């Protein structure tokens, strides 16, 4: 299968390898982290039971930006996961159908293909499973699978695009296939070549002294036990807080993973989120109650580690975290086919 050309190739001067180094901080950092591949099509390798093709990518991109598959026909994935700023919505908790406020803060879609499970409580196993949630959630897009299929089938250009993406299927316009194509598109939403990744690859000058002190403090104080690896997350669930209950925790008794597992240790446990591009993803936590990154770091140190960091250390860690901002996906805004007289009308 020919790999879709989703984005421009990375600058040829940057080589995707870890250069040999004597820099002790780089050596230590490499034991905890990994750079994101420069070729974002590497994201496809993480897909399961979904073979990426250029046709699925193009269709998935259109459906990601397609508001007509919501009941109001105003809300698309991009409404709450805006690819122009960090893949989320800058709301405390998301606003969806009928201006309703949802129960949790929207996490970023950027690099989400690295998550071993999706949502704050991990209730979806992968991105195609996940995408079916917001389309149907009454506080998000408020559609039904039948409605989504009806809208898409009313537009002949879409029917043709589904046939091309799923050759050999007699009736390819299905809710499952909507999710499959969106997953293929999302798999390419990686943010490579951050200054932190350049540092990991062996460029000692990619971080300044303050940022290096922040990285050291981040590793020495144990942030890495929950936020490490390629996507700066262990992918685990932890009680928020493990050591001390933070005020930023509670939103209408949301007990996190306990809601799906009912296991005792899961009470108030939430997924440790990625910290890549975290300067873009305010407000913070599942509750969205903290707008300031420094305050979020202070909350973490007391709630998860039971320590109090100095203001200087907090500033250094924040400076370090900002170096994880990578190159944002270059997505050409898709032109969507016109509605027909048979296309259902928006309802509220
Ligand atoms: C969670 C994608 C539509 C709000 C997520 C996640 C992904 C995603 C991948 C999980 C990220 C993670 O766990 O790190 C999509 C796609 C959509 C879509 C593909 C379109 C089909 C929306 C809309 C809204 C929204 C329209 C707002 C009205 C949220 C919220 C969460 C979330 C609040 C967290 C929910 C929880 O953890 O319980 N979305 N999203 N999403 N999204 Fe979306
Ligand atoms: C959330 C940083 C230590 C588990 C966050 C967020 C930041 C952060 C900035 C908010 C991200 C967002 O909402 O997008 C740090 C720093 C740490 C640290 C700088 C060290 C000082 C830890 C540790 C654990 C942990 C040790 C696990 C025991 C979590 C969890 C969340 C989170 C579960 C989500 C909480 C929720 O919203 O319910 N962290 N973290 N963190 N972190 Fe940490």
């Amino acid at each position: 299968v020919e790999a879709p050309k989703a984005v421009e190739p990375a600058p040829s001067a940057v080589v995707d390898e870890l250069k040999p180094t004597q820099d002790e901080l780089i050596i230590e950092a490499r034991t905890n982290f990994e750079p994101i591949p420069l070729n974002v099509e590497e994201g496809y390798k993480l897909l399961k039971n979904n073979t990426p093709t250029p046709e699925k990518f193009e269709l998935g991109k259109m459906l990601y930006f397609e508001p007509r598959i919501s009941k109001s026909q105003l809300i698309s994935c991009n409404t709450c996961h805006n690819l122009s700023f960090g893949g989320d919505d800058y709301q405390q908790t998301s606003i969806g159908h009928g201006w309703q406020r949802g129960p949790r803060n929207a996490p970023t879609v950027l690099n989400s293909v690295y998550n071993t499970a999706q949502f704050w409580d991990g209730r979806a196993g992968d991105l195609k499973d996940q995408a079916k949630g917001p389309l149907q959630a009454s506080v998000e897009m408020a559609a039904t699978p039948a409605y989504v299929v009806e809208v898409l089938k009313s537009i002949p250009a879409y029917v043709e695009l589904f046939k091309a993406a799923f050759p050999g299927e007699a009736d390819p316009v299905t809710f499952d296939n909507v999710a499959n194509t969106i997953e293929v598109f999302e798999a390419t939403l990686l943010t490579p070549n951050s200054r932190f990744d350049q540092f990991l690859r062996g460029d000692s000058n990619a971080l300044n002294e303050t940022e290096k002190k922040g990285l050291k403090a981040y590793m020495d104080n144990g942030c890495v036990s929950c936020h490490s690896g390629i996507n700066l997350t262990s992918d685990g669930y932890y009680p928020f807080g493990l050591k001390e209950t933070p005020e930023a925790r509670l939103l209408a008794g949301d007990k996190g993973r306990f809601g799906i597992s009912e296991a005792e240790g899961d009470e108030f446990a939430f997924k440790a989120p990625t910290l890549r591009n975290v300067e873009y993803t305010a407000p913070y936590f599942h509750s969205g109650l903290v707008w300031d990154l420094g305050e979020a770091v202070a909350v973490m140190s007391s709630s998860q580690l039971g320590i109090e960091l100095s203001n200087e250390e907090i500033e250094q860690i924040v400076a370090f975290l900002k170096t994880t901002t990578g190159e944002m996906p270059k997505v050409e805004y898709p032109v969507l086919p016109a509605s027909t007289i048979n296309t259902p009308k928006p309802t509220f």
Side-chain angles (χ1 to χ4, degrees), residues 125-319:
D126 58 32
L127 290 171
K128 58 180 160 314
D129 202 13
Q130 191 284 328
K132 295 176 189 171
L135 281 161
Q136 299 178 83
S138 58
V139 294
E140 295 186 356
M141 299 168 83
T144 62
Y147 176 84
V148 170
V149 168
E150 188 189 351
V151 168
L152 295 170
K153 280 192 172 169
S154 74
I155 302 172
Y158 266 129
V159 177
E160 289 311 310
L161 290 165
F162 274 89
K163 278 187 192 154
F166 300 93
E169 286 189 27
D171 186 16
V173 187
T174 64
F175 195 55
D176 277 352
N177 284 346
V178 168
N180 285 335
T181 61
I182 292 177
E183 179 180 54
V184 168
F185 170 63
E186 283 182 296
T188 66
L189 300 178
L190 308 188
T191 62
N193 210 24
S194 65
R195 283 198 292 118
F196 179 49
D197 283 4
Q198 294 168 19
F199 184 75
L200 287 173
R201 289 202 168 86
D203 179 358
S204 297
N205 299 322
L207 302 193
N208 67 28
E209 286 313 309
T210 309
E211 292 157 352
K212 285 179 187 173
K213 283 185 189 148
L215 166 59
K216 188 86 180 109
Y218 183 96
M219 294 193 292
D220 288 351
N221 285 298
C223 311
V224 280
S225 55
C226 304
H227 303 281
S228 58
I230 193 163
N231 206 14
L232 273 72
T233 165
S234 65
D235 268 332
Y237 308 91
Y238 306 91
F240 182 43
L242 196 59
K243 302 277 183 187
E244 199 179 283
T245 303
E247 277 180 28
R249 182 175 82 185
L250 289 175
L251 273 186
D254 186 345
K255 290 194 175 180
R257 192 154 169 81
F258 182 82
I260 52 167
S261 72
E262 296 198 350
E264 212 176 300
D266 282 347
E267 254 194 315
F268 301 108
F270 293 86
K271 192 172 71 174
T274 175
L275 299 185
R276 282 193 181 269
N277 311 299
V278 71
E279 66 174 321
Y280 273 98
T281 61
Y284 300 109
F285 304 123
H286 73 277
S287 55
L289 286 174
V290 173
W291 288 84
D292 177 64
L293 185 50
E295 191 185 335
V297 172
V299 167
M300 274 287 122
S301 50
S302 58
S303 71
Q304 305 309 103
L305 294 164
I307 57 172
E308 202 176 321
L309 295 172
S310 68
N311 285 345
E312 195 185 8
E313 278 175 309
I314 291 174
E315 277 166 29
Q316 290 164 348
I317 291 178
V318 167

Side-chain angles (χ1 to χ4, degrees), residues 75 77 80-81 94 104 107 115 119-120 123 127 130 134 271:
I75 301 173
C77 308
C80 302
H81 302 284
S94 292
R104 288 180 183 158
N115 298 342
F119 291 123
W120 283 105
R123 68 187 181 280
L127 290 171
Q130 191 284 328
K271 192 172 71 174

